Amino acid sequence: MCKKISKFLLFCIILSYFLVGFNTNTSEATDKYDRIAGNNRYLTAVEVSKKGWPSSADTVLLARGDVFADALSAVPLAHSLNAPILLTQPERLPEETMKEIERLRPAKIYILGGTSAISSEVEDYLLYKGQEVERIGGVDRFETAVMIANRLAPQGAITAVVVYGFNFPDALAAASYAAAAGMPILLTDTLQTPEATLDAINDLDIQNVIVVGGTQVISNEVVKNQFPNAIRVWGGDRYETAVALAEHFQPSGDLVFIATGLDFADAITGAVLAAKQNRGMLLVGRSAPEVVKNYFLQKNIQSATVLGGTNAVSKNIADSLFNLSGLKVIFTTSSQLYSSPGGGAVLRYPYHGYVTEVLEDNGQHLKIRFGSKEGWVSRTHVEVTDKEKDYIRLGWQWMSGTDIKFLQRSPNQSGYNVYAPVMYGVNESGIYTLKNYSNNIALARQKGYQVWLTVQQFGISPNLQSSLITQIVDKAREQDVDGVNIDFEGMGLANRDKFTKFIQDLYKEMKKNDLTLTVDVVRPAQSVYSLCYDRKALAQASDYLILMAYDQHWSTSPDEGSVADLPWTEDSIVKVLSEGVPAQKLILGIPFYSRNWRVGIKPLEGKVIVTGDPVNIRSAPNTTTSIKLHTASRHEF
C-alpha cells in the first residue's frame, strides 16, 4: 500500500493639551514608525514645519491653536502655497513659533481669522518683527472658510469638501485629502447651510460636493437640497470616518500619518505635510480602534508617521497598529524557525506558502508554530493573510520502490507539504521497524516539510494495549517528527469500540507532546475492513481522518474497472460526511496510479486479466493554483 497524499481540507490618550508642557516630547522611532512631536501643540506644529520645510518657506499660515475651524479650512490653501501652518495663542505669539518663523524667513504670513480669533497684538508683534502680514478673516468661521476658498481657487473649483462647522472629529482626516486634490473646505451646520457657504458654492461654480460625516452632523435634507451632486463619506465614528475617507481617496503608498482623534491640532498642522507627501491620515483614541488596525492589515501598511507626543498617541497604541499577535500570516519565502528571536537552535524550516497564527510579535521577529515546534521567524518573511491555513498535501513513502524525489524540492515546488514515511509496524509485542527512513526524515525537515510517521497494523487480532501508546509517542519524539498517522486495517466489527478507545487515549498523549494525530479509514461498507471504524468518534479523537478512497477495484480484482472513478470517490466522501465527520477534518486519499487491465479473449473470454505493468499517472499538485480540495495520493510501482 504505497502512498502519497495531498489533502481534502480544506487573523490613555490623555485629554487635549492646551497649555505648554502638557504634551510629552519624544524622539522614539522604530523600523515601523517615526514621531513628530513637541512638548505641546504649538511646538508640535513647529516640528512638523521643520520636517516638511527644512530650509525655508516663502509663506507661513498662522492659526489659532485652541480653535479648529480656521486652521482646518486653511489646509488646502497652505498646501497650494507650499506653506506650513503654525499655531498661536489668541493674545500672544509663542516664542518657539516666532523662532520658527525667523528660521523659515517667509516673504509673507497669513493670519487666519478675525481679531476675535487672533488679536491685533499678535499681528502688531509680527509687523514689529519685520514680517509682511495679511489677515484672512470674516465675521465668523463660515465666512473665513469662504475667504480662504476664494484665495485658494480664484478661478473656481469643480469639487468642494463640506464639513460640520461646530466640531472637528469627522473633518480631521479630510483636510489632507482635500488639500492634495486642491479642493476648498467649506463649513455648514446640521439643519441649514449658512448663506456664505451657499454663495461660495455658486460663486466658485462648484459642481460636486463631498460631504464628510453622518446624518447626525449634516442632515440628509441639507445634503439633498443644498449641495450639487453630493456624496457622503462617513463612518460610525470619527475613526471609521477617517478610514472611509482613506478608502474613498486612496492615498498613495504604504505610509500613513497617525494623529489623535480626541483633539484637532496635531492632525491639522500635520495634514499639510501629509498632503505634501500624498499620504493618508488616520486617527486613534485612547486605544487603536479595530477599524484602523484592520486598515493597516488590509493595505499592508509598512510604516507611519505619528503626530504628537506620547500623551497624544502613546507608544503602546503606535506599536499595536503594527503588532501581528493573533493574526494569520503566510510565508512569502522559505524561512528558519529559531528557538529564540533572531538566533538559537534551528527547530524547523517553514516553507514558502505556509499559513499560521502569530503567537507573539516583538517588532522584528514573530513567534509561530510549525508542526510540533514553536519558535521565532523574521517578520520580513511573512505578510498578513485572510487564509485560515494552507491545504495539507501529504505524500506517504512505502517500504520499497516509492517515488520520493519530491523531497529533493521545497514544498512550494513539489506540491506536497507533509512527508509520511511508513516506518513502523505493530505486532503482538509492540512496535517494530519496517524500514528506517531517518535520513529521509532529516531531509524532509530541512526542505520545509512537516513529518508524520505512519504506523501500520493489519488483521482481526490487533494489538491495542496501552503500552503501545507509549511506544508510539516515544518513537515520534525519538524521530523528532510533527505527528503520527495511524493505519490500522481489517480489524472487524468486534474491535470497533476498542480501536476508538485506543485512539482517544493516544490523542490525549499526542496533545501533551504537541503532536498531530491522523487516522486512516475506508469508505462505509459492510465489510471487515470498514466496520471497525466509528468514523464520527474517531474524528473527535484526532486531528484529521484520512479517507483512503481507492481500491474500488483492487489490483487483482476479477472485475473490470478503475482503481477509483469519480462517482465512486464522490460517493465515498458523501457517505463519510453523512456519518458526522466534519468536512474540515477530512483528508481525501486518492490514487496517483492506475490499474492496468484488459478483458481477455478465448479461452478466457469475459475474464479480467491484470497485466501487473506499472502505470504512474501522478501529476504533482501546484501550490500556486487555487486548490479547493485537500487530497491524498497513493503510488504503487
Side-chain angles (χ1 to χ4, degrees):
M1 185 185 65
C2 320
K3 307 174 182 176
K4 281 188 182 175
I5 183 172
S6 303
K7 188 171 176 184
F8 176 79
L9 199 65
L10 302 159
F11 92 30
C12 115
I13 290 183
I14 310 300
L15 299 173
S16 61
Y17 42 99
F18 290 122
L19 301 178
V20 173
F22 191 72
N23 187 17
T24 304
N25 190 10
T26 177
S27 60
E28 123 261 2
T30 71
D31 60 340
K32 292 296 181 182
Y33 65 88
D34 61 356
R35 187 185 292 268
I36 302 176
N39 286 331
N40 55 60
R41 64 186 60 199
Y42 306 98
L43 296 182
T44 293
V46 167
E47 294 302 317
V48 170
S49 175
K50 290 178 180 178
K51 182 75 171 181
W53 295 264
S55 300
S56 62
D58 291 338
T59 308
V60 168
L61 274 63
L62 188 65
R64 181 170 168 173
D66 59 350
V67 177
F68 73 92
D70 297 337
L72 173 65
S73 299
V75 172
L77 177 61
H79 178 62
S80 71
L81 297 172
N82 191 24
I85 293 179
L86 297 176
L87 301 179
T88 183
Q89 296 169 351
E91 304 293 335
R92 183 180 71 84
L93 186 70
E95 181 181 351
E96 291 299 323
T97 302
M98 188 66 235
K99 287 182 179 179
E100 179 62 7
I101 291 172
E102 291 171 343
R103 184 190 71 81
L104 291 169
R105 305 185 304 278
K108 193 166 191 176
I109 298 175
Y110 287 101
I111 293 178
L112 304 173
T115 55
S116 61
I118 299 177
S119 69
S120 57
E121 285 80 7
V122 172
E123 183 177 357
D124 292 341
Y125 181 70
L126 289 169
L127 292 170
Y128 169 75
K129 285 290 189 175
Q131 302 294 326
E132 181 179 341
V133 179
E134 181 177 341
R135 186 184 291 271
I136 305 176
V139 296
D140 57 22
R141 62 188 62 195
F142 302 100
E143 284 195 6
T144 297
V146 169
M147 295 176 70
I148 292 171
N150 289 330
R151 191 66 62 100
L152 169 70
Q155 305 302 317
I158 296 175
T159 305
V161 173
V162 175
V163 301
Y164 180 58
F166 291 104
N167 208 349
F168 59 83
D170 288 333
L172 279 185
S176 64
Y177 304 115
M183 302 174 184
I185 297 177
L186 300 173
L187 308 182
T188 187
D189 204 345
T190 301
L191 300 177
Q192 181 63 43
T193 303
E195 288 298 324
T197 301
L198 291 175
D199 290 343
I201 290 174
N202 291 325
D203 295 342
L204 295 173
D205 195 23
I206 301 297
Q207 302 298 307
N208 307 285
V209 171
I210 297 174
V211 178
V212 180
T215 57
Q216 295 299 311
V217 291
I218 304 175
S219 70
N220 276 331
E221 289 74 14
V222 166
V223 172
K224 180 180 178 180
N225 299 325
Q226 298 181 342
F227 302 143
N229 298 317
I231 62 171
R232 189 190 294 272
V233 181
W234 66 291
D237 56 27
R238 64 195 69 186
Y239 312 108
E240 289 185 9
T241 296
V243 170
L245 285 162
E247 295 284 5
H248 178 81
F249 285 101
Q250 295 291 315
S252 67
D254 58 1
L255 182 150
V256 298
F257 281 72
I258 301 295
T260 176
L262 302 179
D263 204 348
F264 69 89
D266 297 340
I268 294 302
T269 56
V272 187
L273 182 57
K276 188 173 185 176
Q277 298 180 3
N278 194 23
R279 306 296 183 182
M281 176 76 71
L282 298 176
L283 306 176
V284 296
R286 293 182 174 85
S287 62
E290 287 302 315
V291 66
V292 178
K293 288 184 178 181
N294 290 338
Y295 182 87
F296 264 66
L297 300 176
Q298 293 166 5
K299 301 298 182 182
N300 195 27
I301 302 298
Q302 296 297 311
S303 55
T305 294
V306 177
L307 298 167
T310 54
N311 280 342
V313 181
S314 72
K315 184 177 185 300
N316 286 340
I317 291 174
D319 288 342
S320 71
L321 292 171
F322 297 97
N323 194 291
L324 302 183
S325 296
L327 301 176
K328 292 294 178 67
V329 292
I330 186 170
F331 279 77
T332 56
T333 183
S334 58
S335 186
Q336 292 179 314
L337 185 74
Y338 290 99
S339 59
S340 58
V346 180
L347 305 176
R348 289 291 188 268
Y349 300 83
Y351 62 88
H352 181 188
Y354 177 65
V355 177
T356 188
E357 181 178 325
V358 176
L359 304 176
E360 190 175 339
D361 181 355
N362 72 0
Q364 294 182 323
H365 301 91
L366 305 176
K367 188 176 185 180
I368 62 123
R369 170 174 290 279
F370 184 86
S372 60
K373 302 295 182 181
E374 287 184 3
W376 296 82
V377 296
S378 172
R379 186 182 176 124
T380 61
H381 291 176
V382 305
E383 63 182 30
V384 175
T385 182
D386 57 2
K387 291 180 64 174
E388 282 299 311
K389 60 176 65 176
D390 191 17
Y391 299 112
I392 296 173
R393 303 173 300 276
L394 179 151
W396 278 294
Q397 182 180 11
W398 183 234
M399 291 195 305
S400 61
T402 305
D403 174 11
I404 57 159
K405 290 192 288 291
F406 71 87
L407 289 183
Q408 302 295 328
R409 296 182 292 168
S410 62
N412 65 303
Q413 294 172 322
S414 71
Y416 295 106
N417 56 18
V418 177
Y419 168 58
V422 185
M423 189 164 169
Y424 296 107
V426 176
N427 57 27
E428 64 277 1
S429 300
I431 277 187
Y432 66 94
T433 301
L434 293 169
K435 189 167 184 178
N436 190 344
Y437 290 121
S438 296
N439 290 339
N440 288 344
I441 289 173
L443 174 63
R445 276 201 301 267
Q446 291 176 2
K447 289 294 184 179
Y449 295 88
Q450 293 188 47
V451 181
W452 297 350
L453 285 179
T454 295
V455 180
Q456 286 192 331
Q457 184 174 192
F458 300 91
I460 59 174
S461 300
N463 179 350
L464 299 175
Q465 299 177 27
S466 59
S467 59
L468 181 60
I469 292 175
T470 301
Q471 294 179 53
I472 291 173
V473 173
D474 287 346
K475 289 296 183 183
R477 296 176 63 182
E478 176 186 315
Q479 295 296 330
D480 189 23
V481 297
D482 304 298
V484 171
N485 172 227
I486 296 296
D487 182 24
F488 288 10
E489 300 183 32
M491 295 176 288
L493 179 61
N495 290 299
R496 176 187 175 100
D497 293 341
K498 295 177 184 178
F499 180 61
T500 299
K501 178 65 165 55
F502 175 83
I503 293 299
Q504 291 169 340
D505 293 341
L506 174 60
Y507 190 54
K508 294 175 183 177
E509 296 304 313
M510 296 287 282
K511 293 300 102 178
K512 290 178 183 178
N513 290 272
D514 296 320
L515 295 166
T516 297
L517 177 63
T518 63
V519 180
D520 296 348
V521 298
V522 299
R523 66 182 258 131
Q526 295 298 314
S527 71
V528 68
Y529 295 101
S530 177
L531 293 175
C532 57
Y533 302 123
D534 182 346
R535 295 169 188 82
K536 181 178 180 180
L538 292 174
Q540 294 172 344
S542 64
D543 293 293
Y544 304 108
L545 292 190
I546 301 179
L547 172 59
M548 297 184 287
Y550 37 77
D551 288 347
Q552 177 184 7
H553 298 93
W554 57 96
S555 59
T556 59
S557 172
D559 300 318
E560 67 271 20
S562 64
V563 173
D565 66 28
L566 183 57
W568 183 86
T569 302
E570 183 178 12
D571 182 65
S572 300
I573 296 169
V574 170
K575 280 184 166 63
V576 170
L577 294 178
S578 68
E579 290 189 346
V581 175
Q584 65 270 22
K585 280 199 169 189
L586 186 61
I587 300 173
L588 175 63
I590 60 174
F592 278 167
Y593 66 94
S594 180
R595 174 178 180 241
N596 196 3
W597 55 270
R598 61 183 173 85
V599 177
I601 56 176
K602 293 181 179 180
L604 300 175
E605 186 172 358
K607 299 294 184 181
V608 173
I609 298 174
V610 180
T611 67
D613 298 332
V615 181
N616 184 5
I617 62 169
R618 172 183 178 271
S619 176
N622 186 343
T623 60
T624 63
T625 60
S626 298
I627 302 173
K628 297 303 182 185
L629 293 184
H630 300 277
T631 55
S633 62
R634 161 176 162 169
H635 297 251
E636 289 190 355
F637 299 91

